[in-house]
Amino acid sequence: MSKIIVTVDQEKCIGCNTCPLIDPETFEMDENTYKAKVKKQPETQTEAVKTAETSCPVGAISITEEK
Ligand code: SF4
């Protein structure tokens, strides 16, 4: 499986805290901005990271495959 890159669009994120609840290995909240950020890039596309992406209410999470 190819490597993926997860990003959180800081402009779009409304700090709802959903993604760190779904996938705490990948996401965490930034204590200063109250927005989510990537804590650790997952090695592969896990169910958790996919669920977090689709659960974000504002579509701030992107998963792209590394070329
Ligand atoms: S689910 Fe989306 S809006 Fe909510 S904290 Fe994560 S990136 Fe931000």
Side-chain angles (χ1 to χ4, degrees):
M1 195 181 275
S2 54
K3 204 165 168 18
I4 59 161
I5 301 168
V6 180
T7 54
V8 177
D9 186 330
Q10 299 293 301
E11 299 290 317
K12 286 187 184 170
C13 175
I14 55 168
C16 73
N17 203 35
T18 299
C19 57
L21 284 176
I22 294 172
D23 187 356
E25 302 228 325
T26 305
F27 302 98
E28 66 184 353
M29 298 308 289
D30 187 307
E31 286 170 17
N32 296 313
T33 63
Y34 302 107
K35 294 186 180 217
K37 62 182 181 183
V38 176
K39 178 176 167 188
K40 184 174 175 288
Q41 290 289 341
E43 292 291 314
T44 56
Q45 186 151 310
T46 60
E47 281 303 315
V49 77
K50 269 194 279 185
T51 304
E53 180 200 27
T54 54
S55 301
C56 176
V58 293
I61 300 171
S62 306
I63 302 174
T64 50
E65 283 192 16
E66 199 171 49
K67 298 270 159 36

